[in-house]
Amino acid sequence: NKKKNPPARGKSGRADLLSALNDDDASSKKTKAEKSFSRTFVKSEQEQILNDLAARSSTTAIGRAVAKSPHYNTPDMDPFWQLLPSLISTKFPSASDEDLRRVAGMVEHSLGVGKLDEDVVNDPWRPHEELHAYLPGMGETQPFMDPGQLELCRLMSENYEVIKKEYEALLEERFTPRGKDRFQSVTSMNYESGWKTMVLFYNGHRIKDFPYHLCPVTTRILETVPLAGRIAGFNRQQ
């Protein structure tokens, strides 16, 4: 049994969308009966479906935002932006223009054609010229929070000595059974500056086979808040 090669990525960047239309990921899990009711689109049909989808999505809030780019429909336009309206329309078919209004504003800013809200421009704590991403309508912001207002800060302060001992215990067991150091440089910037991280949570989830029994208090405290960030753990600099 020969495995089929994945669709090649062309300059148009349509491979992923074609895969979704053909339900490639789920095909191996379908029963024989289910497969009899499915069909794979031939190339001409695929192109027609993509063109129809692109035409419909071009009139949406996201499509109009992308069309504001001076590079729209030119070779200088990144294929990602060309496909974005179709991708969002496929993923969120029931989303209205009002639902996507703020997302469209973020797209415009990313393409260099959007306008910042006045409260952002006039905020002395926010150097708006350096913003690499912006979602409009965030409302009033507070650059610095009083730690006393945050339960997480209170718990960490009250348990500082316990957390320190748990960190030291983890240092003693920093190597996995296969000899891998749990302290890793998770980005090139961290590597260059000497920072290393012992990751306790990744994308909000626990790490498989991590010795959480050595840091029960630290783990419990971190699990009291939504860990929406990519990484949570201990950091140290060599």
Side-chain angles (χ1 to χ4, degrees):
N1 296 328
K2 293 184 178 181
K3 294 183 179 180
K4 291 184 177 180
N5 293 325
R9 289 181 184 272
K11 291 185 178 180
S12 63
R14 293 187 171 191
D16 292 337
L17 191 53
L18 290 173
S19 178
L21 289 171
N22 285 328
D23 201 16
D24 288 349
D25 292 337
S27 62
S28 60
K29 301 178 183 178
K30 291 182 179 179
T31 64
K32 185 175 181 180
E34 290 174 325
K35 288 183 178 180
S36 66
F37 290 100
S38 65
R39 60 186 288 262
T40 298
F41 297 99
V42 298
K43 185 175 182 180
S44 59
E45 291 175 319
Q46 291 175 343
E47 289 295 330
Q48 185 60 50
I49 290 173
L50 291 176
N51 290 335
D52 291 345
L53 180 58
R56 291 196 304 272
S57 61
S58 66
T59 62
T60 65
I62 305 300
R64 295 194 300 272
V66 172
K68 291 181 180 179
S69 169
H71 302 300
Y72 182 64
N73 273 343
T74 71
D76 294 328
M77 186 74 167
D78 189 321
F80 169 77
W81 298 111
Q82 298 277 144
L83 278 175
L84 185 63
S86 296
L87 292 170
I88 292 181
S89 294
T90 303
K91 185 70 174 178
F92 307 101
S94 61
S96 66
D97 277 359
E98 180 58 28
D99 294 333
L100 298 172
R101 178 177 56 83
R102 294 175 61 208
V103 179
M106 182 177 68
V107 171
E108 290 179 7
H109 178 268
S110 299
L111 291 171
V113 294
K115 293 183 179 180
L116 299 175
D117 293 338
E118 287 190 13
D119 61 325
V120 175
V121 176
N122 297 327
D123 189 342
W125 296 101
R126 223 177 197 178
H128 59 275
E129 296 90 351
E130 301 175 13
L131 288 178
H132 69 280
Y134 172 66
L135 184 67
M138 293 292 288
E140 185 178 354
T141 61
Q142 185 175 347
F144 300 103
M145 301 291 293
D146 180 357
Q149 297 177 340
L150 303 175
E151 180 70 3
L152 175 63
C153 292
R154 184 185 67 79
L155 289 172
M156 296 188 76
S157 296
E158 291 177 353
N159 291 276
Y160 169 76
E161 292 297 335
V162 175
I163 294 173
K164 181 181 178 182
K165 289 180 180 179
E166 291 183 351
Y167 168 73
E168 292 171 347
L170 287 172
L171 279 179
E172 294 294 323
E173 301 290 336
R174 57 186 283 190
F175 293 98
T176 68
R178 294 185 176 183
K180 182 179 179 180
D181 192 348
R182 288 193 173 91
F183 267 106
Q184 298 289 324
S185 295
V186 294
T187 68
S188 59
M189 180 177 64
N190 287 352
Y191 178 80
E192 293 168 359
S193 58
W195 282 100
K196 290 193 174 183
T197 303
M198 181 178 286
V199 180
L200 273 69
F201 293 88
Y202 184 80
N203 286 342
H205 300 285
R206 289 194 179 197
I207 306 298
K208 184 180 179 181
D209 299 328
F210 189 88
Y212 289 100
H213 64 283
L214 297 177
C215 54
V217 174
T218 303
T219 302
R220 187 174 70 249
I221 291 175
L222 289 177
E223 289 183 328
T224 64
V225 294
L227 298 175
R230 185 183 178 198
I231 289 174
F234 288 106
N235 288 281
R236 70 186 182 95
Q237 189 175 31
Q238 293 181 329

